[in-house]
């Protein structure tokens, strides 16, 4: 399978672009990702998680990880 990566400007209409792309023959799906935001949040959670593991704060670690994955910003 091949994929295509498109970098968009902030004001680009992501929903409209996805609608247009899905109409093209051969395109199965369109996935919209905000890599900068997701990677940053995940990196912060992992760094904080390492410290929580060292200190034995397992409840805090689990709660922070769940918050990171479940409260993604659209």
């Amino acid at each position: 399978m091949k994929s295509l990566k498109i970098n968009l400007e902030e004001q680009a209409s992501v929903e409209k672009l996805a609608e247009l792309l899905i109409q093209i023959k051969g395109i199965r799906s369109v996935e919209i990702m905000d890599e900068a935001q997701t990677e940053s949040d995940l990196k912060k959670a992992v760094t904080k998680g390492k410290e929580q593991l060292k200190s034995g704060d397992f409840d805090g670690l689990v709660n922070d990880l769940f918050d990171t994955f479940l409260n993604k910003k659209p």
Side-chain angles (χ1 to χ4, degrees):
M1 177 166 70
K2 294 182 181 181
S3 63
L4 172 68
K5 181 176 180 178
I6 300 172
N7 295 315
L8 302 174
E9 294 179 358
E10 290 295 322
Q11 69 273 14
S13 175
V14 178
E15 294 81 17
K16 196 63 152 173
L17 180 61
E19 289 175 22
L20 290 170
L21 288 173
I22 209 71
Q23 293 177 14
I24 298 172
K25 182 179 179 180
I27 294 181
R28 277 191 244 175
S29 65
V30 175
E31 183 177 343
I32 300 168
M33 299 182 304
D34 186 356
E35 291 179 1
Q37 185 65 35
T38 303
E39 184 177 79
S40 174
D41 289 347
L42 185 56
K43 249 184 190 177
K44 289 177 189 174
V46 169
T47 303
K48 186 176 178 183
K50 288 178 184 178
E51 295 302 317
Q52 289 171 319
L53 282 174
K54 288 178 185 175
S55 68
D57 182 14
F58 301 112
D59 289 337
L61 171 66
V62 171
N63 290 337
D64 289 345
L65 287 176
F66 274 125
D67 286 344
T68 300
F69 289 113
L70 297 179
N71 295 326
K72 282 187 175 180
K73 298 171 186 130

